[in-house]
Amino acid sequence: MRGASAGMTSPTTYGTADLVQQAQDLLNRIRQDVASASAAVRSVAAELPVGAETVVQAVDDVTRQTNDALTQIQVLIDEPGVPDDLVRAGAVWAGPIQEAVTTVKAAMNPSELAGARLWKGLAGSAYNATLLPQANALTTIADACADINKALNDLAGAIHQFWVATIVALLGLAAAAGAFAVAVFASAAGAAIGAAALTFVAAIATYYGATAVASATIDGAVTSTKAVIQNRLGNNTGFPEGHWPQSTAVTGHASFADDSRPSDWQLVE
């Protein structure tokens, strides 16, 4: 992957768009089956036995409940989330950003820095004294990069699993819609049509139950991801007093203002 470390694992590719398209196809099929069954019942309503209005009402109720359920899922299909984008964003945190931080931290070794070895006096001591705090601050940033990457990948996986669960629920509803349509077209008896409608209503309830669990799971994942990112970006553990560790020293005189007085900045050969 572009910008990733040489040894990094390739990011997961979910291909959730295929699941979303499958959901759309199932939704269209369910809507068509129910609409066809409803139209068929209405076309023969006058020929049905006494009490046919009850059958028509039952079919109308099935149509309404189906449309309500499909309208809700259509909203999600229109804005399905893109797990692969989250994975790519996480790879940037775990790749270029974390790489840059780690590289700078590795260079903050007193034995490797000429300035740390040669710079003497109060200013030099102040500089050396802040190398470790600055390295700790960089560790905090690097850890945040790893945690944010994990949080984004966890959310990506949760979105994908939501659509897997939704497809399973829609497959069950599609099978029930197909059976309902077959029962309507195969029967001229109002009672049989009414029974088929009741069976389909039960299938709609099952569908709602399955999607409710999937929705609760994805809501929890979103909340968790948001909390992780906020906490990591707001973590000032490695930043004393909330800012980057500063290498400053207070001298007892103004060396630069008076050249006759010795400076605390000494560079030794």
Side-chain angles (χ1 to χ4, degrees):
M1 175 178 166
R2 187 183 306 169
S5 301
M8 284 182 62
T9 302
S10 298
T12 301
T13 300
Y14 286 100
T16 306
D18 292 339
L19 288 178
V20 175
Q21 183 57 57
Q22 186 179 355
Q24 182 68 71
D25 292 343
L26 286 168
L27 184 150
N28 293 340
R29 193 173 93 197
I30 294 166
R31 183 178 286 123
Q32 180 60 45
D33 282 346
V34 174
S36 298
S38 178
V41 169
R42 286 190 166 278
S43 70
V44 298
E47 303 172 10
L48 292 175
V50 175
E53 64 278 1
T54 302
V55 173
V56 174
Q57 180 62 44
V59 172
D60 285 347
D61 188 52
V62 165
T63 303
R64 178 185 57 77
Q65 291 190 48
T66 301
N67 288 337
D68 287 346
L70 298 186
T71 296
Q72 292 179 28
I73 195 63
Q74 185 67 64
V75 171
L76 297 177
I77 288 174
D78 292 340
E79 296 287 343
V82 186
D84 290 349
D85 283 355
L86 292 171
V87 171
R88 282 189 284 268
V92 172
W93 280 97
I97 297 176
Q98 190 175 36
E99 257 185 21
V101 171
T102 303
T103 298
V104 173
K105 180 187 173 184
M108 298 183 73
N109 185 336
S111 64
E112 300 295 332
L113 292 172
R117 288 184 286 106
L118 302 178
W119 199 356
K120 304 301 179 182
L122 288 177
S125 296
Y127 176 75
N128 279 284
T130 52
L131 286 178
L132 179 58
Q134 288 177 353
N136 290 338
L138 290 172
T139 297
T140 298
I141 297 173
D143 290 346
C145 290
D147 288 347
I148 291 172
N149 173 52
K150 182 179 184 303
L152 291 173
N153 275 269
D154 287 348
L155 179 57
I159 292 174
H160 184 76
Q161 288 305 312
F162 167 82
W163 284 109
V164 170
T166 298
I167 290 297
V168 172
L170 283 172
L171 284 169
L173 191 60
F180 171 63
V182 168
V184 168
F185 285 110
S187 176
I193 295 174
L198 289 175
T199 299
F200 187 49
V201 167
I204 294 174
T206 300
Y207 164 82
Y208 271 125
T211 54
V213 172
S215 295
T217 301
I218 191 63
D219 287 347
V222 169
T223 300
S224 175
T225 300
K226 181 179 178 181
V228 168
I229 293 176
Q230 288 179 333
N231 290 338
R232 294 310 278 139
L233 294 181
N235 179 14
N236 290 326
T237 301
F239 299 85
E241 300 179 4
H243 56 72
W244 179 254
Q246 298 177 343
S247 52
T248 57
V250 179
T251 63
H253 50 78
S255 299
F256 293 102
D258 183 357
D259 289 338
S260 66
R261 306 183 74 170
S263 171
D264 286 307
W265 291 51
Q266 301 173 30
L267 186 64
V268 297
E269 296 296 337

